[in-house]
Amino acid sequence: MTPNQQSDAALALCRMAPVIPVIVVDDLSHARPLAEALVAGGLPVLEVTLRTDCALDAIAAMAEVPGAVVGAGTVLTAAQMKAVKDAGARFAVSPGATAALLDAARVEELALLPGAQTCSEVMALLEQGYHVQKFFPAESIGGAGALKSIGGPLPQVTFCPTGGITPELAPGYLALPNVACVGGSWVAPKALMQAGDWAQITDLARGAAGLAR
């Protein structure tokens, strides 16, 4: 899979819903009901971050849920890239990009959202064929205004901004022509997961799925 093909696949995923839930699973028993709740609310593309010991098992469990398209976030190394593919991930997301990470994603044939912050980083990835990228940490580095400015000289790059985005801020990003979707953690809050309130999570997902692009 070439970088251009990886970006094409990533763009198709980004267009499935306006929000990709960014998920931290602390308790493996939450994985399947959480995925079911999010899919029921209209958010099929799920990013499980590699920030907990059970993350790989959570990916495997969620991948079994009908309608769920599960990927891995916070992928930092080539070894992690292989591990998430083996667990059933269909895409990978990274806060940045290294040569080793990009090589591993090509070998594993995973759709990839490599992270970039600056025009130089965006251009370096574009030069390799990555025309769909993650903008992270979005709110800390200028937010929607920064992405709008980047879109001037680099309109051929499409982004999934992530980091500090709330339901109130999301529409400002989604209104931009160079944004395909946003990543957000607000649809899977820890408190609701611990309470097992999957119905409320479905309601949050439904609200996110209804955001205009």
Side-chain angles (χ1 to χ4, degrees):
M1 181 178 279
T2 67
N4 188 68
Q5 290 171 330
Q6 288 175 293
S7 280
D8 286 344
L11 184 59
L13 294 175
C14 288
R15 286 177 171 163
M16 291 182 72
V19 178
I20 294 178
V22 179
I23 301 164
V24 178
V25 179
D26 294 303
D27 184 336
L28 184 57
S29 69
H30 294 162
R32 187 178 181 94
L34 175 61
E36 291 172 340
L38 292 168
V39 170
L43 300 181
V45 183
L46 312 176
E47 176 189 336
V48 181
T49 60
L50 299 186
R51 300 182 187 178
T52 63
D53 292 339
C54 67
L56 290 174
D57 290 331
I59 290 170
M62 289 180 163
E64 296 179 352
V65 173
V69 181
V70 184
T74 322
V75 181
L76 308 178
T77 68
Q80 287 178 329
M81 194 69 71
K82 184 179 189 309
V84 300
K85 175 67 177 294
D86 291 345
R90 292 171 58 182
F91 65 94
V93 183
S94 179
T98 66
L101 191 71
L102 298 178
D103 286 345
R106 287 193 285 267
V107 169
E108 299 299 336
E109 298 193 330
L110 280 171
L112 180 66
L113 278 172
Q117 294 185 1
T118 67
C119 284
S120 292
E121 291 172 351
V122 172
M123 290 165 62
L125 286 168
L126 179 61
E127 192 174 66
Q128 295 185 62
Y130 293 100
H131 60 87
V132 181
Q133 303 174 20
K134 173 178 178 171
F135 185 66
F136 175 85
E139 276 299 295
S140 299
I141 54 176
L147 264 183
K148 181 179 181 180
S149 296
I150 289 173
L154 292 163
Q156 66 270 55
V157 182
T158 302
F159 294 94
C160 170
T162 303
I165 299 176
T166 65
E168 295 75 26
L169 293 171
Y173 286 94
L174 294 170
L176 297 175
N178 60 341
V179 170
C181 67
V182 301
S185 59
W186 80 83
V187 293
K190 186 174 182 178
L192 291 182
M193 292 169 63
Q194 290 178 330
D197 194 344
W198 311 118
Q200 182 63 28
I201 288 176
T202 294
D203 287 343
L204 290 174
R206 192 171 290 118
L211 291 172
R213 287 189 280 190

